[in-house]
CSV table of all heavy atoms in Angstrom, one decimal:
chain,number,residue,atom,x,y,z
A,19,LEU,N,0.4,2.2,-0.7
A,19,LEU,CA,1.1,3.5,-0.7
A,19,LEU,C,0.6,4.2,0.6
A,19,LEU,O,-0.5,4.1,1.0
A,19,LEU,CB,0.8,4.3,-1.9
A,19,LEU,CG,1.2,3.8,-3.2
A,19,LEU,CD1,0.7,4.6,-4.4
A,19,LEU,CD2,2.7,3.7,-3.3
A,27,LEU,N,1.1,10.2,15.9
A,27,LEU,CA,0.5,9.3,16.9
A,27,LEU,C,1.2,9.4,18.2
A,27,LEU,O,0.6,9.3,19.3
A,27,LEU,CB,0.4,7.9,16.4
A,27,LEU,CG,-0.5,7.6,15.2
A,27,LEU,CD1,-0.3,6.2,14.7
A,27,LEU,CD2,-1.9,7.9,15.5
A,40,TYR,N,-9.0,7.0,2.6
A,40,TYR,CA,-8.8,5.7,3.2
A,40,TYR,C,-9.9,4.8,2.9
A,40,TYR,O,-11.0,5.2,2.4
A,40,TYR,CB,-8.6,5.8,4.7
A,40,TYR,CG,-9.9,6.3,5.4
A,40,TYR,CD1,-10.8,5.4,5.9
A,40,TYR,CD2,-10.1,7.6,5.7
A,40,TYR,CE1,-12.0,5.8,6.5
A,40,TYR,CE2,-11.2,8.1,6.3
A,40,TYR,CZ,-12.2,7.2,6.7
A,40,TYR,OH,-13.3,7.7,7.3
A,41,GLU,N,-9.7,3.5,3.1
A,41,GLU,CA,-10.8,2.5,3.0
A,41,GLU,C,-10.5,1.5,4.1
A,41,GLU,O,-9.4,1.2,4.5
A,41,GLU,CB,-10.8,1.8,1.6
A,41,GLU,CG,-9.5,1.3,1.1
A,41,GLU,CD,-9.6,0.9,-0.4
A,41,GLU,OE1,-10.6,1.0,-1.0
A,41,GLU,OE2,-8.5,0.5,-0.8
A,44,PRO,N,-13.4,-5.4,6.5
A,44,PRO,CA,-13.7,-6.3,7.6
A,44,PRO,C,-12.9,-7.6,7.4
A,44,PRO,O,-12.5,-7.9,6.3
A,44,PRO,CB,-15.2,-6.5,7.5
A,44,PRO,CG,-15.4,-6.5,6.0
A,44,PRO,CD,-14.5,-5.4,5.5
A,52,GLY,N,-14.7,-16.6,7.0
A,52,GLY,CA,-15.2,-15.9,5.8
A,52,GLY,C,-14.4,-14.7,5.5
A,52,GLY,O,-14.8,-13.9,4.6
A,54,GLU,N,-11.7,-14.1,3.8
A,54,GLU,CA,-11.2,-13.9,2.4
A,54,GLU,C,-12.3,-13.3,1.5
A,54,GLU,O,-12.1,-12.5,0.7
A,54,GLU,CB,-10.8,-15.3,1.9
A,54,GLU,CG,-10.0,-15.2,0.6
A,54,GLU,CD,-9.3,-16.4,0.2
A,54,GLU,OE1,-9.0,-17.3,1.1
A,54,GLU,OE2,-9.0,-16.6,-1.0
A,58,THR,N,-13.0,-8.5,-0.5
A,58,THR,CA,-13.1,-8.1,-1.9
A,58,THR,C,-13.6,-6.7,-2.0
A,58,THR,O,-13.4,-6.1,-3.1
A,58,THR,CB,-14.0,-9.1,-2.6
A,58,THR,OG1,-15.3,-9.1,-2.0
A,58,THR,CG2,-13.4,-10.5,-2.6
A,59,LYS,N,-14.2,-6.1,-1.0
A,59,LYS,CA,-14.8,-4.8,-1.2
A,59,LYS,C,-14.7,-4.1,0.2
A,59,LYS,O,-15.0,-4.7,1.2
A,59,LYS,CB,-16.2,-4.9,-1.6
A,59,LYS,CG,-16.8,-3.6,-2.0
A,59,LYS,CD,-18.3,-3.7,-2.5
A,59,LYS,CE,-18.3,-3.5,-4.0
A,59,LYS,NZ,-19.6,-3.5,-4.5
A,60,PRO,N,-14.3,-2.8,0.2
A,60,PRO,CA,-14.2,-2.1,1.5
A,60,PRO,C,-15.6,-2.0,2.1
A,60,PRO,O,-16.6,-1.9,1.4
A,60,PRO,CB,-13.6,-0.8,1.2
A,60,PRO,CG,-13.9,-0.6,-0.2
A,60,PRO,CD,-14.0,-1.9,-0.9
A,61,ILE,N,-15.7,-1.9,3.5
A,61,ILE,CA,-16.9,-1.6,4.1
A,61,ILE,C,-17.1,-0.1,4.2
A,61,ILE,O,-18.3,0.4,4.2
A,61,ILE,CB,-17.1,-2.2,5.5
A,61,ILE,CG1,-15.9,-1.9,6.4
A,61,ILE,CG2,-17.2,-3.7,5.3
A,61,ILE,CD1,-16.1,-2.3,7.8
A,69,ASP,N,-10.2,19.2,10.3
A,69,ASP,CA,-11.2,18.7,11.2
A,69,ASP,C,-12.4,18.0,10.6
A,69,ASP,O,-13.3,17.6,11.2
A,69,ASP,CB,-11.6,19.8,12.2
A,69,ASP,CG,-12.3,20.9,11.5
A,69,ASP,OD1,-12.3,21.0,10.2
A,69,ASP,OD2,-12.8,21.8,12.2
A,71,LYS,N,-14.2,15.1,8.4
A,71,LYS,CA,-14.1,13.7,8.1
A,71,LYS,C,-15.4,13.3,7.4
A,71,LYS,O,-16.5,13.5,7.9
A,71,LYS,CB,-14.0,12.8,9.4
A,71,LYS,CG,-13.8,11.3,9.1
A,71,LYS,CD,-13.6,10.6,10.4
A,71,LYS,CE,-13.4,9.1,10.2
A,71,LYS,NZ,-13.3,8.4,11.4
A,75,SER,N,-20.4,4.4,3.5
A,75,SER,CA,-20.6,3.0,3.8
A,75,SER,C,-20.9,2.3,2.4
A,75,SER,O,-22.0,2.5,1.9
A,75,SER,CB,-21.7,2.7,4.8
A,75,SER,OG,-22.0,1.3,4.8
A,76,VAL,N,-19.9,1.5,1.9
A,76,VAL,CA,-20.1,0.9,0.6
A,76,VAL,C,-21.2,-0.2,0.7
A,76,VAL,O,-22.1,-0.3,-0.1
A,76,VAL,CB,-18.8,0.2,0.1
A,76,VAL,CG1,-19.0,-0.6,-1.1
A,76,VAL,CG2,-17.7,1.3,0.0
A,86,LEU,N,-14.4,16.9,13.5
A,86,LEU,CA,-13.6,16.2,14.6
A,86,LEU,C,-13.2,17.1,15.7
A,86,LEU,O,-12.9,16.7,16.8
A,86,LEU,CB,-12.4,15.5,14.0
A,86,LEU,CG,-12.8,14.4,12.9
A,86,LEU,CD1,-11.6,13.8,12.3
A,86,LEU,CD2,-13.7,13.3,13.6
A,88,ALA,N,-15.1,19.8,16.9
A,88,ALA,CA,-16.3,20.0,17.7
A,88,ALA,C,-16.9,18.7,18.2
A,88,ALA,O,-17.5,18.7,19.2
A,88,ALA,CB,-17.3,20.8,16.9
A,92,GLU,N,-17.4,11.6,17.2
A,92,GLU,CA,-18.2,11.4,16.0
A,92,GLU,C,-19.7,11.0,16.3
A,92,GLU,O,-20.2,10.0,15.9
A,92,GLU,CB,-17.6,10.3,15.1
A,92,GLU,CG,-16.2,10.7,14.6
A,92,GLU,CD,-15.5,9.7,13.7
A,92,GLU,OE1,-16.2,8.7,13.3
A,92,GLU,OE2,-14.3,9.8,13.5
A,93,GLU,N,-20.3,11.8,17.1
A,93,GLU,CA,-21.7,11.5,17.6
A,93,GLU,C,-22.7,12.3,16.8
A,93,GLU,O,-23.9,11.9,16.8
A,93,GLU,CB,-21.8,11.8,19.1
A,93,GLU,CG,-20.9,10.9,19.9
A,93,GLU,CD,-21.0,11.2,21.4
A,93,GLU,OE1,-21.9,11.8,21.8
A,93,GLU,OE2,-20.0,10.7,22.1
A,96,LEU,N,-23.2,15.3,10.4
A,96,LEU,CA,-23.5,16.6,9.8
A,96,LEU,C,-23.9,16.5,8.3
A,96,LEU,O,-23.9,17.6,7.6
A,96,LEU,CB,-22.3,17.6,9.9
A,96,LEU,CG,-21.8,17.8,11.3
A,96,LEU,CD1,-20.5,18.6,11.3
A,96,LEU,CD2,-22.9,18.6,12.1
A,103,GLU,N,-22.0,22.4,-0.4
A,103,GLU,CA,-20.7,22.0,0.2
A,103,GLU,C,-20.5,20.5,0.3
A,103,GLU,O,-19.5,20.0,-0.1
A,103,GLU,CB,-20.5,22.7,1.5
A,103,GLU,CG,-19.2,22.4,2.1
A,103,GLU,CD,-19.1,23.1,3.5
A,103,GLU,OE1,-19.8,24.0,3.9
A,103,GLU,OE2,-18.2,22.6,4.3
A,106,LYS,N,-20.0,18.8,-3.1
A,106,LYS,CA,-18.6,18.9,-3.6
A,106,LYS,C,-17.7,18.0,-2.8
A,106,LYS,O,-16.8,17.3,-3.4
A,106,LYS,CB,-18.1,20.4,-3.4
A,106,LYS,CG,-18.7,21.4,-4.4
A,106,LYS,CD,-18.2,22.8,-4.1
A,106,LYS,CE,-18.9,23.8,-4.9
A,106,LYS,NZ,-18.5,25.1,-4.6
A,112,ASP,N,-16.0,10.3,-4.0
A,112,ASP,CA,-16.5,9.4,-5.0
A,112,ASP,C,-15.5,9.3,-6.2
A,112,ASP,O,-15.3,8.2,-6.7
A,112,ASP,CB,-17.9,9.9,-5.5
A,112,ASP,CG,-18.5,8.9,-6.4
A,112,ASP,OD1,-18.6,7.7,-6.1
A,112,ASP,OD2,-18.9,9.3,-7.5
A,116,SER,N,-13.8,5.8,-7.1
A,116,SER,CA,-14.0,5.3,-8.5
A,116,SER,C,-12.7,5.1,-9.2
A,116,SER,O,-12.6,4.1,-10.0
A,116,SER,CB,-14.9,6.3,-9.3
A,116,SER,OG,-16.1,6.4,-8.7
A,125,GLY,N,-4.6,-9.4,-1.6
A,125,GLY,CA,-4.1,-10.7,-1.7
A,125,GLY,C,-5.0,-11.7,-1.1
A,125,GLY,O,-5.7,-11.4,-0.2
A,128,GLY,N,-5.0,-17.2,1.7
A,128,GLY,CA,-4.4,-18.5,1.4
A,128,GLY,C,-3.0,-18.4,0.9
A,128,GLY,O,-2.2,-19.3,0.9
A,129,ALA,N,-2.6,-17.2,0.3
A,129,ALA,CA,-1.3,-17.0,-0.3
A,129,ALA,C,-0.3,-16.6,0.8
A,129,ALA,O,0.9,-16.4,0.4
A,129,ALA,CB,-1.4,-16.0,-1.4
Side-chain angles (χ1 to χ4, degrees):
L19 297 176
L27 293 172
Y40 65 90
E41 51 191 358
E54 192 167 337
T58 59
K59 190 177 253 190
I61 55 172
D69 61 353
K71 181 177 181 183
S75 169
V76 176
L86 298 175
E92 298 178 17
E93 295 178 20
L96 301 173
E103 180 182 340
K106 288 178 187 176
D112 188 49
S116 297

